[in-house]
Coordinates of all heavy atoms in Angstrom, one line a residue:
D614 N -7.8 2.0 2.5 CA -8.1 1.9 3.9 C -8.0 0.5 4.4 O -8.8 -0.4 4.0 CB -9.6 2.4 4.2 CG -10.0 2.4 5.6 OD1 -9.3 1.8 6.5 OD2 -11.1 2.9 5.9
V615 N -7.0 0.2 5.1 CA -6.7 -1.2 5.5 C -7.8 -1.8 6.3 O -7.9 -3.1 6.4 CB -5.3 -1.2 6.3 CG1 -5.5 -0.7 7.7 CG2 -4.8 -2.6 6.3
N616 N -8.7 -1.0 6.9 CA -9.9 -1.6 7.6 C -11.0 -2.1 6.7 O -11.9 -2.8 7.1 CB -10.4 -0.6 8.6 CG -9.5 -0.3 9.7 OD1 -8.9 -1.2 10.2 ND2 -9.3 1.0 10.1
E617 N -10.9 -1.7 5.4 CA -11.9 -2.2 4.4 C -11.6 -3.6 4.0 O -10.4 -3.9 3.7 CB -11.9 -1.2 3.2 CG -12.5 0.1 3.5 CD -14.0 0.1 3.8 OE1 -14.7 -0.7 3.2 OE2 -14.4 0.9 4.7
P618 N -12.6 -4.5 3.9 CA -12.3 -5.9 3.7 C -11.6 -6.2 2.3 O -10.8 -7.1 2.2 CB -13.7 -6.6 3.7 CG -14.7 -5.5 3.9 CD -14.0 -4.2 4.2
M619 N -11.9 -5.4 1.3 CA -11.3 -5.6 0.0 C -10.1 -4.7 -0.4 O -9.7 -4.6 -1.5 CB -12.4 -5.5 -1.1 CG -13.5 -6.5 -0.9 SD -13.0 -8.2 -0.9 CE -12.4 -8.4 -2.6
C620 N -9.6 -4.0 0.6 CA -8.5 -3.0 0.4 C -7.2 -3.8 0.0 O -6.8 -4.7 0.7 CB -8.3 -2.2 1.6 SG -7.0 -0.9 1.2
P621 N -6.6 -3.5 -1.1 CA -5.4 -4.1 -1.5 C -4.2 -3.9 -0.5 O -3.3 -4.7 -0.5 CB -5.0 -3.5 -2.9 CG -5.9 -2.3 -3.0 CD -7.0 -2.4 -2.1
S622 N -4.3 -2.9 0.3 CA -3.2 -2.7 1.3 C -3.2 -3.9 2.3 O -2.1 -4.1 2.9 CB -3.4 -1.4 2.0 OG -4.6 -1.4 2.8
R623 N -4.3 -4.6 2.5 CA -4.2 -5.7 3.4 C -3.3 -6.8 2.9 O -2.6 -7.4 3.8 CB -5.6 -6.3 3.5 CG -6.6 -5.6 4.4 CD -7.8 -6.4 4.7 NE -8.6 -5.6 5.6 CZ -9.7 -6.2 6.3 NH1 -10.0 -7.4 6.0 NH2 -10.4 -5.4 7.1
L624 N -3.2 -7.1 1.7 CA -2.3 -8.1 1.1 C -0.9 -7.6 1.3 O 0.0 -8.4 1.6 CB -2.7 -8.4 -0.3 CG -2.0 -9.6 -0.9 CD1 -2.3 -10.9 -0.1 CD2 -2.5 -9.8 -2.4
V625 N -0.6 -6.4 1.0 CA 0.7 -5.9 1.2 C 1.2 -6.0 2.6 O 2.3 -6.4 3.0 CB 0.8 -4.4 0.7 CG1 2.2 -3.8 1.0 CG2 0.5 -4.3 -0.8
L626 N 0.3 -5.6 3.5 CA 0.5 -5.7 5.0 C 0.8 -7.2 5.4 O 1.8 -7.4 6.1 CB -0.7 -5.2 5.8 CG -0.5 -5.1 7.3 CD1 0.6 -4.2 7.7 CD2 -1.8 -4.7 7.9
E627 N 0.1 -8.1 4.8 CA 0.3 -9.5 5.1 C 1.7 -9.9 4.6 O 2.3 -10.7 5.3 CB -0.8 -10.3 4.4 CG -0.7 -11.8 4.7 CD -1.8 -12.5 3.9 OE1 -3.0 -12.1 3.9 OE2 -1.5 -13.6 3.4
H628 N 2.1 -9.5 3.5 CA 3.4 -9.9 2.9 C 4.5 -9.4 3.8 O 5.5 -10.1 4.0 CB 3.5 -9.4 1.5 CG 2.6 -10.1 0.5 ND1 2.4 -9.6 -0.7 CD2 1.8 -11.2 0.7 CE1 1.5 -10.4 -1.3 NE2 1.1 -11.3 -0.5
V629 N 4.5 -8.1 4.2 CA 5.6 -7.5 4.9 C 5.6 -7.9 6.4 O 6.7 -7.8 7.0 CB 5.8 -6.0 4.7 CG1 6.0 -5.6 3.3 CG2 4.6 -5.3 5.3
T630 N 4.5 -8.3 6.9 CA 4.5 -8.7 8.3 C 4.4 -10.2 8.6 O 4.2 -10.6 9.7 CB 3.3 -8.0 9.1 OG1 2.1 -8.4 8.5 CG2 3.4 -6.5 9.0
S631 N 4.4 -11.0 7.5 CA 4.4 -12.4 7.7 C 5.7 -12.8 8.4 O 6.7 -12.1 8.5 CB 4.4 -13.1 6.3 OG 5.6 -13.0 5.6
R632 N 5.7 -14.0 9.0 CA 6.8 -14.5 9.8 C 8.1 -14.4 9.0 O 9.1 -13.8 9.5 CB 6.5 -15.9 10.2 CG 7.7 -16.6 10.9 CD 7.3 -18.1 11.1 NE 8.3 -18.7 11.9 CZ 8.2 -20.0 12.3 NH1 7.2 -20.7 12.0 NH2 9.2 -20.5 13.0
W633 N 8.1 -14.9 7.8 CA 9.3 -14.9 7.0 C 9.6 -13.6 6.3 O 10.7 -13.2 6.1 CB 9.3 -16.1 6.0 CG 9.1 -17.4 6.7 CD1 8.1 -18.3 6.6 CD2 10.0 -18.0 7.7 NE1 8.2 -19.3 7.4 CE2 9.4 -19.2 8.2 CE3 11.2 -17.6 8.3 CZ2 9.9 -20.0 9.1 CZ3 11.7 -18.4 9.3 CH2 11.1 -19.6 9.7
G634 N 8.5 -12.9 6.0 CA 8.7 -11.6 5.3 C 9.4 -10.6 6.2 O 10.4 -10.0 5.8
V635 N 9.1 -10.6 7.5 CA 9.8 -9.7 8.5 C 11.2 -10.1 8.5 O 12.1 -9.2 8.5 CB 9.1 -9.8 9.9 CG1 10.0 -9.1 10.9 CG2 7.7 -9.1 9.8
L636 N 11.5 -11.4 8.7 CA 12.9 -11.8 8.9 C 13.8 -11.6 7.6 O 14.9 -11.2 7.7 CB 12.9 -13.3 9.4 CG 12.2 -13.5 10.7 CD1 12.2 -15.0 11.0 CD2 12.9 -12.7 11.8
I637 N 13.2 -11.8 6.5 CA 13.9 -11.6 5.2 C 14.2 -10.1 5.1 O 15.3 -9.7 4.8 CB 13.1 -12.1 4.0 CG1 13.1 -13.6 4.0 CG2 13.7 -11.6 2.7 CD1 12.1 -14.3 3.1
L638 N 13.2 -9.3 5.3 CA 13.4 -7.8 5.1 C 14.5 -7.3 6.1 O 15.3 -6.5 5.8 CB 12.1 -7.1 5.3 CG 11.1 -7.2 4.2 CD1 9.7 -6.6 4.6 CD2 11.5 -6.6 2.9
A639 N 14.4 -7.8 7.4 CA 15.4 -7.4 8.4 C 16.8 -7.8 8.0 O 17.7 -7.0 8.1 CB 15.0 -8.0 9.7
A640 N 16.9 -9.0 7.5 CA 18.3 -9.5 7.1 C 18.8 -8.7 6.0 O 20.0 -8.3 6.0 CB 18.2 -11.0 6.8
L641 N 18.0 -8.4 5.0 CA 18.4 -7.7 3.8 C 18.7 -6.2 4.1 O 19.4 -5.5 3.4 CB 17.4 -7.8 2.7 CG 17.3 -9.2 2.0 CD1 16.2 -9.2 1.0 CD2 18.7 -9.6 1.4
L642 N 18.2 -5.8 5.3 CA 18.5 -4.4 5.7 C 20.0 -4.3 6.0 O 20.6 -3.2 5.8 CB 17.7 -4.1 6.9 CG 17.6 -2.6 7.3 CD1 17.1 -1.7 6.2 CD2 16.6 -2.5 8.5
E643 N 20.6 -5.4 6.4 CA 22.1 -5.4 6.8 C 22.9 -5.3 5.5 O 23.9 -4.6 5.5 CB 22.4 -6.7 7.5 CG 21.7 -6.8 8.9 CD 22.0 -8.2 9.5 OE1 22.8 -9.0 8.9 OE2 21.3 -8.5 10.5
R644 N 22.6 -6.2 4.5 CA 23.4 -6.3 3.3 C 22.7 -7.2 2.3 O 21.6 -7.7 2.6 CB 24.8 -6.9 3.6 CG 24.7 -8.3 4.2 CD 26.1 -8.9 4.4 NE 26.1 -10.2 4.9 CZ 26.2 -11.3 4.1 NH1 26.2 -11.2 2.8 NH2 26.2 -12.5 4.7
S645 N 23.3 -7.3 1.1 CA 22.7 -8.3 0.1 C 23.1 -9.7 0.5 O 24.1 -9.9 1.2 CB 23.2 -7.9 -1.3 OG 24.6 -8.2 -1.4
Y646 N 22.3 -10.6 0.1 CA 22.5 -12.0 0.4 C 22.3 -12.9 -0.8 O 21.4 -12.6 -1.6 CB 21.6 -12.6 1.5 CG 22.0 -12.2 2.9 CD1 21.5 -11.1 3.5 CD2 22.8 -13.1 3.7 CE1 21.8 -10.8 4.8 CE2 23.1 -12.8 5.0 CZ 22.6 -11.6 5.5 OH 22.9 -11.3 6.8
R647 N 23.1 -14.0 -0.9 CA 22.7 -15.1 -1.8 C 21.7 -15.9 -1.1 O 21.5 -15.9 0.1 CB 24.0 -15.9 -2.1 CG 25.0 -15.1 -2.9 CD 26.2 -15.8 -3.2 NE 26.0 -16.9 -4.2 CZ 26.9 -17.7 -4.7 NH1 28.1 -17.6 -4.2 NH2 26.6 -18.6 -5.6
F648 N 21.0 -16.7 -1.9 CA 19.9 -17.6 -1.3 C 20.3 -18.4 -0.1 O 19.7 -18.4 0.9 CB 19.3 -18.4 -2.4 CG 18.1 -19.2 -2.0 CD1 16.8 -18.7 -2.2 CD2 18.2 -20.5 -1.5 CE1 15.7 -19.4 -1.8 CE2 17.1 -21.2 -1.1 CZ 15.8 -20.6 -1.2
S649 N 21.4 -19.2 -0.3 CA 21.8 -20.1 0.8 C 22.3 -19.3 2.0 O 22.1 -19.7 3.1 CB 22.9 -21.0 0.3 OG 24.0 -20.3 -0.2
E650 N 22.9 -18.2 1.8 CA 23.4 -17.3 2.9 C 22.2 -16.8 3.7 O 22.2 -16.8 4.9 CB 24.2 -16.1 2.4 CG 25.5 -16.4 1.8 CD 26.1 -15.1 1.3 OE1 25.4 -14.3 0.6 OE2 27.3 -14.9 1.5
L651 N 21.2 -16.4 2.9 CA 20.0 -15.8 3.6 C 19.2 -16.9 4.4 O 18.8 -16.7 5.5 CB 19.0 -15.3 2.5 CG 17.8 -14.5 2.9 CD1 18.2 -13.3 3.8 CD2 17.1 -13.9 1.7
R652 N 19.2 -18.1 3.8 CA 18.6 -19.2 4.5 C 19.3 -19.5 5.8 O 18.6 -19.7 6.9 CB 18.5 -20.4 3.6 CG 17.7 -21.6 4.3 CD 17.3 -22.6 3.3 NE 16.6 -23.7 4.0 CZ 16.9 -24.9 4.0 NH1 17.9 -25.4 3.2 NH2 16.2 -25.8 4.7
R653 N 20.6 -19.5 5.8 CA 21.4 -19.7 7.1 C 21.2 -18.5 8.0 O 21.1 -18.7 9.2 CB 22.8 -19.9 6.7 CG 23.2 -21.3 6.2 CD 24.7 -21.5 6.2 NE 25.4 -20.6 5.3 CZ 25.6 -20.7 4.0 NH1 25.1 -21.7 3.4 NH2 26.3 -19.8 3.3
A654 N 21.2 -17.3 7.5 CA 21.0 -16.1 8.4 C 19.7 -16.1 9.1 O 19.6 -15.7 10.3 CB 21.2 -14.9 7.5
I655 N 18.7 -16.6 8.5 CA 17.3 -16.5 9.1 C 17.1 -17.7 10.0 O 16.6 -17.6 11.1 CB 16.2 -16.5 8.0 CG1 16.3 -15.1 7.3 CG2 14.9 -16.7 8.6 CD1 15.4 -15.0 6.1
G656 N 17.5 -18.9 9.6 CA 17.3 -20.0 10.4 C 15.9 -20.5 10.6 O 15.0 -19.7 10.9
G657 N 15.7 -21.8 10.3 CA 14.3 -22.4 10.4 C 13.4 -22.3 9.2 O 12.4 -22.9 9.2
V658 N 13.8 -21.6 8.2 CA 12.9 -21.4 7.0 C 13.3 -22.5 6.0 O 14.5 -22.8 5.8 CB 13.1 -20.0 6.4 CG1 14.5 -19.7 5.9 CG2 12.0 -19.8 5.3
S659 N 12.3 -23.1 5.4 CA 12.6 -24.2 4.4 C 12.9 -23.5 3.1 O 12.6 -22.3 2.9 CB 11.3 -25.0 4.2 OG 10.3 -24.2 3.6
E660 N 13.6 -24.2 2.2 CA 14.0 -23.7 0.9 C 12.7 -23.2 0.2 O 12.7 -22.1 -0.4 CB 14.7 -24.7 0.1 CG 16.1 -24.8 0.3 CD 16.8 -25.7 -0.7 OE1 16.5 -25.7 -1.9 OE2 17.8 -26.4 -0.2
K661 N 11.7 -24.0 0.2 CA 10.4 -23.7 -0.5 C 9.8 -22.4 0.0 O 9.4 -21.5 -0.8 CB 9.4 -24.8 -0.4 CG 8.1 -24.6 -1.1 CD 7.2 -25.8 -0.9 CE 5.9 -25.5 -1.5 NZ 4.9 -26.5 -1.4
M662 N 9.7 -22.2 1.3 CA 9.1 -21.1 1.9 C 10.0 -19.8 1.7 O 9.4 -18.7 1.4 CB 8.9 -21.3 3.4 CG 8.1 -20.1 4.1 SD 6.5 -19.8 3.3 CE 5.6 -21.3 3.5
L663 N 11.3 -20.0 1.7 CA 12.2 -18.8 1.4 C 12.0 -18.4 0.0 O 11.9 -17.2 -0.3 CB 13.6 -19.2 1.7 CG 14.6 -18.1 1.5 CD1 14.3 -16.8 2.3 CD2 16.1 -18.6 1.8
A664 N 12.0 -19.4 -0.9 CA 11.8 -19.0 -2.3 C 10.5 -18.4 -2.6 O 10.4 -17.3 -3.3 CB 11.9 -20.3 -3.2
Q665 N 9.4 -18.9 -2.0 CA 8.1 -18.3 -2.2 C 8.0 -16.9 -1.6 O 7.4 -16.0 -2.2 CB 7.0 -19.1 -1.5 CG 6.7 -20.4 -2.2 CD 5.7 -21.3 -1.4 OE1 5.4 -21.0 -0.3 NE2 5.2 -22.3 -2.1
T666 N 8.6 -16.7 -0.4 CA 8.5 -15.4 0.2 C 9.3 -14.4 -0.6 O 8.9 -13.2 -0.8 CB 8.9 -15.4 1.7 OG1 8.2 -16.5 2.3 CG2 8.7 -14.1 2.4
L667 N 10.5 -14.8 -1.0 CA 11.4 -13.9 -1.8 C 10.6 -13.5 -3.1 O 10.7 -12.3 -3.5 CB 12.7 -14.5 -2.1 CG 13.7 -14.5 -1.0 CD1 14.9 -15.4 -1.3 CD2 14.2 -13.1 -0.8
Q668 N 10.0 -14.4 -3.7 CA 9.3 -14.2 -5.0 C 8.1 -13.2 -4.7 O 7.9 -12.2 -5.5 CB 8.7 -15.5 -5.6 CG 8.1 -15.3 -6.9 CD 7.7 -16.6 -7.5 OE1 7.3 -17.6 -6.8 NE2 7.8 -16.7 -8.8
T669 N 7.4 -13.4 -3.6 CA 6.3 -12.4 -3.3 C 6.9 -11.0 -3.0 O 6.3 -10.1 -3.5 CB 5.6 -13.0 -2.0 OG1 5.0 -14.2 -2.4 CG2 4.5 -12.0 -1.6
L670 N 7.9 -10.9 -2.2 CA 8.5 -9.6 -1.9 C 9.1 -9.0 -3.2 O 9.1 -7.8 -3.3 CB 9.6 -9.8 -0.8 CG 9.1 -10.2 0.5 CD1 10.2 -10.5 1.5 CD2 8.1 -9.1 1.1
E671 N 9.6 -9.8 -4.1 CA 10.1 -9.2 -5.4 C 9.0 -8.7 -6.2 O 9.0 -7.6 -6.7 CB 10.9 -10.3 -6.1 CG 11.5 -9.8 -7.4 CD 12.1 -10.9 -8.3 OE1 12.1 -12.1 -7.9 OE2 12.7 -10.6 -9.3
R672 N 7.9 -9.5 -6.3 CA 6.7 -9.1 -7.1 C 6.1 -7.8 -6.5 O 5.7 -6.9 -7.3 CB 5.7 -10.2 -7.0 CG 4.5 -9.8 -7.8 CD 3.5 -11.1 -8.0 NE 2.4 -10.7 -8.8 CZ 1.2 -10.5 -8.4 NH1 0.9 -10.6 -7.1 NH2 0.2 -10.2 -9.2
D673 N 6.1 -7.6 -5.2 CA 5.6 -6.4 -4.6 C 6.5 -5.2 -4.7 O 6.2 -4.1 -4.3 CB 5.3 -6.7 -3.1 CG 4.0 -7.5 -2.9 OD1 3.3 -7.8 -3.8 OD2 3.8 -8.0 -1.7
G674 N 7.8 -5.4 -5.1 CA 8.7 -4.3 -5.3 C 9.6 -4.0 -4.1 O 10.2 -3.0 -4.1
F675 N 9.6 -5.0 -3.2 CA 10.5 -4.8 -2.0 C 11.9 -5.3 -2.1 O 12.8 -4.9 -1.5 CB 9.8 -5.4 -0.8 CG 8.5 -4.8 -0.4 CD1 7.3 -5.6 -0.5 CD2 8.4 -3.5 0.0 CE1 6.1 -5.0 -0.2 CE2 7.1 -3.0 0.3 CZ 6.0 -3.7 0.3
V676 N 12.0 -6.4 -2.9 CA 13.3 -7.1 -3.1 C 13.7 -7.1 -4.6 O 12.8 -7.3 -5.4 CB 13.2 -8.5 -2.6 CG1 14.4 -9.4 -2.9 CG2 13.0 -8.5 -1.0
H677 N 15.0 -6.9 -4.8 CA 15.5 -7.0 -6.1 C 16.3 -8.3 -6.2 O 17.2 -8.6 -5.4 CB 16.4 -5.8 -6.4 CG 17.1 -5.9 -7.8 ND1 16.5 -5.8 -9.0 CD2 18.4 -6.2 -8.1 CE1 17.3 -6.0 -9.9 NE2 18.5 -6.2 -9.4
R678 N 16.0 -9.1 -7.3 CA 16.8 -10.3 -7.5 C 17.7 -10.1 -8.7 O 17.3 -9.7 -9.8 CB 15.8 -11.4 -7.9 CG 16.4 -12.8 -8.2 CD 15.3 -13.7 -8.5 NE 15.8 -15.1 -8.7 CZ 16.3 -15.6 -9.8 NH1 16.3 -14.8 -10.9 NH2 16.7 -16.8 -9.8
D679 N 19.0 -10.2 -8.4 CA 20.0 -10.0 -9.4 C 20.7 -11.3 -9.8 O 21.5 -11.8 -9.0 CB 21.1 -9.0 -8.8 CG 22.1 -8.6 -9.9 OD1 21.9 -8.8 -11.1 OD2 23.2 -8.2 -9.4
A680 N 20.3 -11.9 -10.9 CA 20.9 -13.1 -11.4 C 22.1 -12.8 -12.3 O 21.9 -12.2 -13.3 CB 19.8 -13.9 -12.1
K681 N 23.2 -13.3 -11.9 CA 24.4 -13.1 -12.7 C 24.6 -14.2 -13.6 O 24.5 -15.4 -13.3 CB 25.6 -13.0 -11.7 CG 25.5 -12.0 -10.6 CD 26.4 -10.8 -10.8 CE 26.5 -9.9 -9.6 NZ 25.4 -9.2 -9.2
P682 N 25.0 -13.9 -14.9 CA 25.1 -15.0 -15.9 C 26.5 -15.6 -15.8 O 27.4 -15.4 -16.7 CB 25.0 -14.2 -17.2 CG 25.4 -12.8 -16.9 CD 25.1 -12.6 -15.5
V683 N 26.7 -16.3 -14.7 CA 28.0 -17.0 -14.5 C 27.7 -18.5 -14.2 O 26.6 -18.9 -13.9 CB 28.8 -16.4 -13.4 CG1 29.2 -15.0 -13.7 CG2 28.0 -16.4 -12.1
I684 N 28.8 -19.3 -14.3 CA 28.7 -20.7 -13.9 C 29.6 -21.0 -12.7 O 30.7 -20.7 -12.8 CB 29.0 -21.6 -15.1 CG1 28.1 -21.3 -16.3 CG2 29.0 -23.1 -14.7 CD1 28.4 -22.0 -17.6
P685 N 29.1 -21.5 -11.6 CA 27.6 -21.8 -11.4 C 26.8 -20.5 -11.2 O 27.4 -19.4 -10.9 CB 27.7 -22.5 -10.1 CG 28.9 -22.1 -9.4 CD 29.9 -21.7 -10.5
P686 N 25.5 -20.6 -11.4 CA 24.7 -19.4 -11.4 C 24.8 -18.7 -10.0 O 25.0 -19.3 -9.0 CB 23.3 -19.9 -11.5 CG 23.4 -21.2 -12.2 CD 24.7 -21.7 -11.7
R687 N 24.8 -17.4 -10.0 CA 24.8 -16.6 -8.8 C 23.7 -15.6 -8.8 O 23.5 -14.8 -9.7 CB 26.2 -15.8 -8.7 CG 26.2 -15.0 -7.4 CD 27.5 -14.1 -7.4 NE 27.4 -13.2 -6.2 CZ 28.1 -13.4 -5.1 NH1 28.9 -14.4 -5.0 NH2 27.9 -12.5 -4.1
V688 N 22.9 -15.7 -7.7 CA 21.8 -14.8 -7.5 C 21.9 -14.1 -6.2 O 22.1 -14.7 -5.2 CB 20.4 -15.6 -7.6 CG1 19.3 -14.6 -7.3 CG2 20.3 -16.3 -8.9
D689 N 21.9 -12.7 -6.3 CA 21.9 -11.9 -5.1 C 20.6 -11.2 -4.8 O 19.9 -10.8 -5.8 CB 23.0 -10.9 -5.2 CG 24.4 -11.5 -5.2 OD1 24.7 -12.1 -4.2 OD2 25.1 -11.2 -6.2
Y690 N 20.2 -11.1 -3.6 CA 19.0 -10.4 -3.2 C 19.3 -9.2 -2.4 O 20.1 -9.2 -1.5 CB 18.1 -11.4 -2.4 CG 17.6 -12.5 -3.2 CD1 18.3 -13.7 -3.2 CD2 16.4 -12.5 -3.9 CE1 17.8 -14.8 -3.9 CE2 16.0 -13.5 -4.6 CZ 16.7 -14.7 -4.6 OH 16.2 -15.8 -5.4
T691 N 18.7 -8.1 -2.8 CA 18.9 -6.8 -2.1 C 17.5 -6.1 -2.0 O 16.6 -6.5 -2.6 CB 19.8 -5.8 -2.9 OG1 19.3 -5.6 -4.2 CG2 21.2 -6.4 -3.0
L692 N 17.5 -5.1 -1.1 CA 16.3 -4.4 -0.9 C 16.2 -3.3 -1.9 O 17.2 -2.7 -2.3 CB 16.2 -3.7 0.5 CG 16.0 -4.7 1.7 CD1 16.1 -3.9 3.0 CD2 14.7 -5.4 1.6
T693 N 15.0 -3.0 -2.4 CA 14.8 -1.8 -3.2 C 14.6 -0.6 -2.2 O 14.6 -0.8 -1.0 CB 13.5 -1.9 -4.1 OG1 12.4 -2.1 -3.2 CG2 13.6 -3.2 -5.0
G694 N 14.4 0.6 -2.8 CA 14.1 1.7 -1.9 C 12.9 1.5 -1.1 O 12.8 1.8 0.1
L695 N 11.8 1.0 -1.7 CA 10.6 0.7 -1.1 C 10.8 -0.4 0.0 O 10.2 -0.3 1.1 CB 9.5 0.2 -2.1 CG 8.1 -0.1 -1.6 CD1 7.5 1.2 -1.1 CD2 7.3 -0.7 -2.8

Side-chain angles (χ1 to χ4, degrees):
D614 180 352
V615 76
N616 291 318
E617 291 293 323
M619 298 304 290
C620 184
S622 64
R623 281 189 176 193
L624 190 55
V625 175
L626 183 64
E627 183 180 319
H628 293 167
V629 298
T630 61
S631 71
R632 175 183 186 180
W633 303 118
V635 167
L636 297 175
I637 289 168
L638 290 171
L641 291 175
L642 195 54
E643 299 171 7
R644 65 178 179 90
S645 67
Y646 279 92
R647 294 176 72 178
F648 185 89
S649 57
E650 292 177 316
L651 189 56
R652 186 163 179 233
R653 281 191 302 274
I655 292 172
V658 63
S659 69
E660 275 189 39
K661 180 181 178 183
M662 187 53 63
L663 180 58
Q665 286 176 350
T666 307
L667 281 167
Q668 187 175 32
T669 297
L670 294 172
E671 181 184 4
R672 182 172 184 253
D673 286 349
F675 297 115
V676 171
H677 174 71
R678 181 181 185 271
D679 184 22
K681 307 252 193 290
V683 295
I684 297 175
R687 179 184 173 107
V688 179
D689 292 302
Y690 294 92
T691 58
L692 292 175
T693 63
L695 184 65

